Amino acid sequence: MLEVSKLSKNYGKTQAVKNVNFTVNAGEVAVLAGPNGAGKSTIIKSIAGLLKYEGKIEICGYDNKSIKGKSALGYIPELPSLFPLLTISEHLTLMAHAFNIKNHEKRAEELLKLFDLWDKKDKYGSDLSKGMQQKASICCALITEPKVLLVDEPMLGLDPKAIRNMKELLIKLKNEGVAIVVSTHLLDSVQELWDRILIMKNGEFVLSKARSEFNNEFKSLEEIFFEFTEE
Ligand code: ADP
């Protein structure tokens, strides 16, 4: 579903990502973790097609910069960026038109109700609180029914109810066969969800392991994280 091969990215002399490879299959959640500056955002932005890079990134077998690749990808950025003069409803309509999604209204209503935004659907982007913007941004990414979903710090800025809804939604999407990459420092928040842990340090993976490969030895993601990132 998502295949990243030989991905490298330099910013001038800084090698932010060094020849990274990974695959996330349908119905799998990969957690991307690592200390600040490890290269996580660079990977996420490369997959989202926002950066130039070396290597190959395929979404459902299509190059991530092709129309077919882009239309199968959903991206929830860490910082939402809404249009100040469009309402929440108009954002969803815009996304649906851009991705040629027909009859998006029912899904839009379900998503907005799930995130308590239904009664705020006619509010302008500029009039939303930070948390509301984050929830609207999540709805924008999901209205297109992506097959691959990139989520950068999904729980940041959300209230407890929205965090619970977001977790349940990620489980539902996983069960529906969406391949999900979650970049987060809040490892507890994805403890129930993950199938593969990718730990980065200095632009490389210091661990890329499936949950099933841990052979029944129970370890929290936090324990695994410190084992592989502490000197
Ligand atoms: P993370 O998301 O894991 O915190 P980043 O991908 O943001 O890490 O950064 C990886 C490395 O690339 C860091 O050394 C960072 O300073 C550098 N970097 C990130 N963005 C830029 C940029 N726009 N210009 C120059 N260096 C950058």
Side-chain angles (χ1 to χ4, degrees):
M1 274 284 169
L2 168 67
E3 200 159 359
V4 175
S5 321
K6 298 184 178 169
L7 175 65
S8 295
K9 170 72 187 174
N10 297 338
Y11 298 103
K13 285 185 182 154
T14 307
Q15 276 189 289
V17 174
K18 304 170 191 167
N19 198 25
V20 156
N21 299 283
F22 67 98
T23 301
V24 187
N25 293 316
E28 275 183 2
V29 176
V31 171
L32 185 58
N36 294 127
K40 304 177 298 294
S41 301
T42 303
I43 290 190
I44 294 278
K45 285 184 196 155
S46 301
I47 299 170
L50 302 174
L51 287 179
K52 284 189 177 163
Y53 54 81
E54 285 165 42
K56 195 167 156 196
I57 301 176
E58 286 189 345
I59 316 276
C60 301
Y62 300 103
D63 189 89
N64 66 331
K65 289 185 177 157
S66 68
I67 302 259
K68 285 194 170 164
K70 280 185 183 174
S71 42
L73 181 74
Y75 173 42
I76 304 174
E78 183 178 357
L79 297 173
S81 56
L82 300 184
F83 296 102
L85 295 181
L86 289 186
T87 65
I88 295 181
S89 268
E90 286 166 345
H91 277 89
L92 295 182
T93 305
L94 179 70
M95 287 299 287
H97 282 269
F99 285 82
N100 206 14
I101 309 281
K102 306 266 181 276
N103 305 322
H104 73 284
E105 293 81 4
K106 187 166 170 281
R107 187 166 169 84
E109 185 174 339
E110 282 168 8
L111 285 168
L112 293 176
K113 283 185 172 164
L114 181 70
F115 285 105
D116 287 333
L117 289 178
W118 182 241
D119 58 339
K120 302 183 180 64
K121 64 183 190 309
D122 298 321
K123 268 188 179 269
Y124 290 109
S126 58
D127 296 343
L128 302 174
S129 72
K130 195 165 166 284
M132 286 178 204
Q133 288 180 39
Q134 178 70 357
K135 293 185 211 173
S137 165
I138 294 169
C139 296
C140 283
L142 296 178
I143 192 75
T144 64
E145 302 196 34
K147 299 273 182 286
V148 174
L149 181 65
L150 294 180
V151 202
D152 202 351
E153 284 297 359
M155 317 297 176
L156 229 60
L158 296 182
D159 58 40
K161 185 176 172 198
I163 289 178
R164 193 178 64 194
N165 290 344
M166 184 69 195
K167 279 189 197 170
E168 285 172 8
L169 187 61
L170 288 176
I171 292 171
K172 182 168 171 272
L173 292 168
K174 168 183 154 86
N175 291 337
E176 287 169 3
V178 178
I180 303 173
V181 180
V182 182
S183 173
T184 186
H185 291 301
L186 304 174
L187 297 172
D188 270 357
S189 68
V190 286
Q191 185 63 45
E192 300 144 53
L193 303 175
W194 69 281
D195 297 291
R196 173 168 289 277
I197 176 75
L198 302 164
I199 299 185
M200 287 197 85
K201 211 175 159 183
N202 301 326
E204 292 171 303
F205 287 152
V206 286
L207 182 74
S208 169
K209 199 165 173 178
R211 193 173 195 140
S212 55
E213 292 174 78
F214 281 87
N215 297 327
N216 298 332
E217 53 177 313
F218 177 80
K219 280 189 183 158
S220 68
L221 278 181
E222 199 175 51
E223 282 174 291
I224 299 169
F225 180 86
F226 283 118
E227 200 175 304
F228 283 89
T229 53
E230 296 287 276
E231 293 302 327

